[in-house]
């Protein structure tokens, strides 16, 4: 600070209230950056997230969660939050077996299944008997206004050439395009990648590779009537540095989903 300086005048804060933002809805374009975290809550720049009662929002809906373990966290969150959801044994084996949960009273059905094993980089055993590509699953889906499909793709593709990821993403894009042609009222949402820890195998799994894929997935799906949950910005804002972030981060990601469909 200078030794001598003129008087400093402190003005009052501008007390004008900020304009109310519209509620976040399916199809709204996000900004860059897309939001910030305050008091453990994600706040988008372009819209506001309303509190949604999860169980009522999901009444009569079939939620298909497809992808890696970061989207498997969602079905685990749903099962812990909705006590009436009951898991159904599909007689598969291994850590990455398909999960299916139902609430017969509210007619809620939620299913998670992993993307195909090329590539699926894991340290645990899993069965390849029931495995199939996401594009094939989408082609077998009838769709409709009660069907919500959420796709998460990326973490397992980081160690491989980018063309492997691009070919898979384009294949899924074409399957989604076919789905929306036969059932245009189907809700399709892309969950972007999370950032991850940097203490192991950085050259192959670092966020450098993930960021390229994050940009690519947004570009590939921009021509379709889908919405993107920007998990990349959310996990950056939280500073998670963990491929499997805490429950509070998952809760905020799912809150965006609920605002999109209800």
């Amino acid at each position: 600070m200078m030794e001598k300086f003129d008087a400093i005048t402190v003005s009052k804060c501008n007390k004008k209230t900020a304009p109310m933002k519209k509620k976040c809805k399916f199809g709204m374009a996000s900004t860059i950056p897309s939001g910030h975290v305050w008091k453990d809550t994600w706040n988008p720049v372009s819209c506001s997230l309303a509190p949604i009662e999860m169980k009522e929002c999901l009444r009569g809906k079939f939620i298909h969660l497809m992808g890696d373990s970061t989207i498997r966290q969602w079905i685990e969150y749903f099962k812990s939050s909705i006590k009436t959801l009951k898991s159904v044994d599909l007689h598969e084996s291994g850590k990455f077996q398909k999960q299916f949960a139902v609430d017969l009273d509210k007619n809620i059905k939620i299913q998670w299944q992993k993307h195909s094993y090329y590539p699926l980089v894991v340290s645990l055993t899993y069965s390849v008997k029931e495995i199939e590509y996401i594009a094939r699953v989408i082609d077998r889906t009838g769709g409709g206004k009660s069907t919500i499909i959420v796709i998460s793709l990326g973490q397992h593709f980081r160690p491989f050439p980018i063309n492997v990821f691009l070919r898979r993403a384009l294949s899924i894009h074409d399957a989604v395009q076919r789905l929306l042609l036969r059932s245009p009222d189907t809700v399709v949402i892309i969950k972007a990648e999370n950032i991850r820890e940097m203490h192991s195998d950085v050259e192959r799994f670092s966020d450098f590779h993930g960021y390229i894929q994050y940009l690519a997935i947004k570009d590939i799906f921009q021509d379709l009537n889908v919405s993107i949950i920007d998990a990349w910005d959310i996990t950056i804002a939280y500073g998670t540095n963990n491929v499997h972030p805490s429950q509070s981060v998952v809760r905020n990601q799912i809150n965006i989903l609920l605002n999109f469909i209800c």
Side-chain angles (χ1 to χ4, degrees):
M1 185 179 290
M2 295 182 295
E3 186 176 347
K4 295 181 180 180
F5 50 89
D6 296 332
I8 298 174
T9 302
V10 179
S11 59
K12 293 183 178 180
C13 294
N14 183 357
K15 293 187 177 181
K16 293 181 179 179
T17 57
M20 292 290 292
K21 294 185 289 187
K22 295 180 180 179
K23 176 184 175 294
C24 295
K25 294 182 179 179
F26 179 85
M28 293 183 73
S30 62
T31 58
I32 302 175
S34 56
H36 68 277
V37 171
W38 176 250
K39 294 183 177 179
D40 202 27
T41 301
W42 173 250
N43 297 273
V45 171
S46 56
C47 58
S48 63
L49 292 169
I52 304 289
E53 208 290 308
M54 183 186 298
K55 193 171 180 179
E56 284 302 315
C57 177
L58 299 182
R59 178 194 286 268
K61 293 182 172 61
F62 194 161
I63 313 294
H64 295 262
L65 305 175
M66 307 179 190
D68 53 35
S69 56
T70 67
I71 198 77
R72 187 183 69 215
Q73 283 187 282
W74 284 29
I75 191 170
E76 292 166 352
Y77 184 88
F78 282 130
K79 288 191 292 187
S80 65
S81 300
I82 304 175
K83 302 304 181 184
T84 51
L85 270 179
K86 303 299 181 183
S87 294
V88 178
D89 186 358
L90 300 177
H91 304 288
E92 295 187 6
S93 59
K95 173 68 174 175
F96 297 92
Q97 61 185 285
K98 185 187 296 183
Q99 296 188 39
F100 185 59
V102 296
D103 180 329
L104 296 177
D105 181 49
K106 300 290 186 181
N107 192 24
I108 300 170
K109 296 181 285 293
I110 304 176
Q111 176 179 288
W112 171 81
Q113 65 186 98
K114 59 187 174 296
H115 61 73
S116 66
Y117 56 94
Y118 294 121
L120 191 63
V121 184
V122 296
S123 57
L124 301 171
T125 58
Y126 62 90
S127 171
V128 299
K129 293 179 181 179
E130 308 89 358
I131 209 163
E132 56 186 335
Y133 290 100
I134 288 178
R136 184 173 296 176
V137 177
I138 294 172
D139 280 336
R140 290 193 292 99
T141 302
K145 62 181 181 180
S146 298
T147 301
I148 290 85
I149 293 176
V150 187
I151 302 165
S152 181
L153 201 67
Q155 294 289 344
H156 295 264
F157 291 80
R158 291 189 181 191
F160 300 94
I162 187 65
N163 68 298
V164 177
F165 176 78
L166 293 177
R167 288 169 58 191
R168 186 67 54 81
L170 288 169
S171 176
I172 294 171
H173 169 279
D174 292 346
V176 170
Q177 189 174 44
R178 292 189 292 268
L179 170 65
L180 294 177
L181 281 173
R182 65 181 179 270
S183 298
D185 50 356
T186 307
V187 175
V188 180
I189 295 169
I190 308 298
K191 176 199 162 292
E193 290 185 51
N194 299 339
I195 63 170
R196 66 179 298 151
E197 58 280 344
M198 297 292 290
H199 55 72
S200 63
D201 212 347
V202 177
E203 288 188 3
R204 295 199 303 152
F205 286 100
S206 77
D207 289 337
F208 172 83
H209 305 292
Y211 185 61
I212 302 300
Q213 295 178 168
Y214 161 71
L215 295 178
I217 204 81
K218 292 202 297 183
D219 189 55
I220 288 171
F221 283 90
Q222 65 178 337
D223 66 321
L224 297 180
N225 185 30
V226 304
S227 275
I228 294 180
I229 293 179
D230 200 337
W232 186 270
D233 269 10
I234 294 172
T235 49
I236 285 177
Y238 267 96
T240 56
N241 295 316
N242 189 330
V243 67
H244 300 122
S246 67
Q247 288 287 87
S248 62
V249 178
V250 176
R251 169 177 54 81
N252 278 275
Q253 293 175 353
I254 289 177
N255 190 36
I256 300 174
L257 169 73
L258 299 178
N259 273 259
F260 282 173
I261 64 179
C262 296

